Amino acid sequence: MAGAASPDHLFGLRYSFYVGAYQAVITGVQAIPARAALSPDALAERDSLLYRSYIAIGSHQLVIDEIGPGAATPLQAVRLLAVYLSGGAGGKESAIRKLNELLADDAVGSNPILRLVAGTVLMHERDYAGALKHTNSGGTMELLAMNVQICLQMHRSDHAEKQLRIMQQLDEDHTLTQLANAWVDLVMGGSKIQEAHLIFQDLSEKYPATCLILNGKALCLMHMGNFEDAEGLLLESLNKDAKDAETLANLVVCSLNLGKSASRYLNQLKLAHPDHILVKRMSSAEDSFDRACQAIS
C-alpha cells in the first residue's frame, strides 16, 4: 500500500502571497515545522516567497543583507529585485545588468522565478515588450498572470484574454485565475465591472482584507460611480498600509470625484513613490500648464 502523500507546507504561503497578505507569509514561514522534509526546490520556493514578501512591505535592505552570493538562482533573482527597488540609478542599472547575465546563462536562464523577476523589473521600466519576452512562455500560474498584466498595460486586452483563457483551462478556480479575470473585466468595462466586483467580493470572503483586495473592490465601485463606498474601502486599506501606492493613487482619484482635496494623498504618493505613473502624469500636466501660462503672459 502506497504511503500517504506528504503535506504541501507551502500551499497556504502561496495563496497568502497571491492576495497580498505578506505578513501572513512571513509568520507562516516561521510556523512550518522544523521536522518538515522540504526538497531543495521547496526550500528555494519557501525562501523566495518569504523574501518577496519582505520586499513587498518595503524591507529591501533586509533581503539584500540576508541573501548571500552562494544562494540558489531564484534567491539571487529576488535579491536583485530588492537592489533594483531600493532606489538609485546606479543600483537599478547594476541589477538589470546582473539579471541579463543570469538570463543569458543556459544553465539557469529558464528559471521561473528569475523570469518573473525580470518581468517585474522591466514592467517598472515600462519596457512591456521586453518583459513579455521573458514571461510569455509561461510555465507557472504566476508567469501567466503577469502576462495578463503586461498585455493590459500594452492596451492589448485581446491578448490578455487569450492568456486568461490559458489560465482558465489549467485551473479555472485558481486564485490567480480569478484575479486575472477581474483585471480583464475592469479593463473591458460595462457589465463586466459587476462581474469583477463579484470576484473581489468572493476573494474578500475567502481571505483577509488585504490592500490588493480592498483596492480591487474600490476600483469596481469607482467604475460604478459609487465613490463614497469606494473611499471607505480605500481608507480601510490606508489603515493597513499608509504607503501603499495603489491605495494612495486611488484615493487621489476618488477624492477628486467627491469634490474633496486630494493634495495630502498626492503628496504622500510623491514622497513614497516618486516614479508612480500618476505622479509622473500630474507632473507632466503641471509642466504643460506652466508653459501655457508663460506663453500667454
Side-chain angles (χ1 to χ4, degrees), residues 51-99:
Y51 287 121
R52 288 164 68 199
S53 295
Y54 274 120
I55 289 173
I57 64 173
S59 299
H60 303 131
Q61 195 59 48
L62 180 148
V63 176
I64 294 167
D65 291 342
E66 289 197 4
I67 298 178
T73 298
L75 298 183
Q76 290 295 333
V78 171
R79 185 181 187 278
L80 290 174
L81 177 60
V83 170
Y84 175 86
L85 293 174
S86 62
K92 288 185 176 182
E93 290 172 4
S94 172
I96 291 172
R97 184 177 66 254
K98 290 177 181 176
L99 272 175

Side-chain angles (χ1 to χ4, degrees), residues 2-33:
S6 59
D8 183 355
H9 293 287
L10 305 185
F11 181 86
L13 300 183
R14 292 188 199 102
Y15 282 82
S16 291
F17 184 82
Y18 297 154
V19 299
Y22 304 117
Q23 194 59 51
V25 176
I26 293 167
T27 55
V29 166
Q30 308 304 321
I32 295 176

Side-chain angles (χ1 to χ4, degrees), residues 143-182:
L143 283 166
L144 289 169
M146 181 166 280
N147 286 342
V148 172
Q149 289 181 314
I150 295 168
C151 291
L152 292 175
Q153 290 291 337
M154 296 173 75
H155 306 291
R156 292 304 305 265
S157 56
D158 54 336
H159 288 310
E161 286 185 285
K162 289 178 182 176
Q163 293 294 320
L164 175 58
R165 283 196 290 273
I166 294 172
M167 296 180 75
Q168 289 170 331
Q169 288 166 5
L170 289 170
D171 188 347
E172 189 171 11
D173 296 325
H174 195 289
T175 296
L176 286 176
T177 305
Q178 294 299 305
L179 282 170
N181 198 346

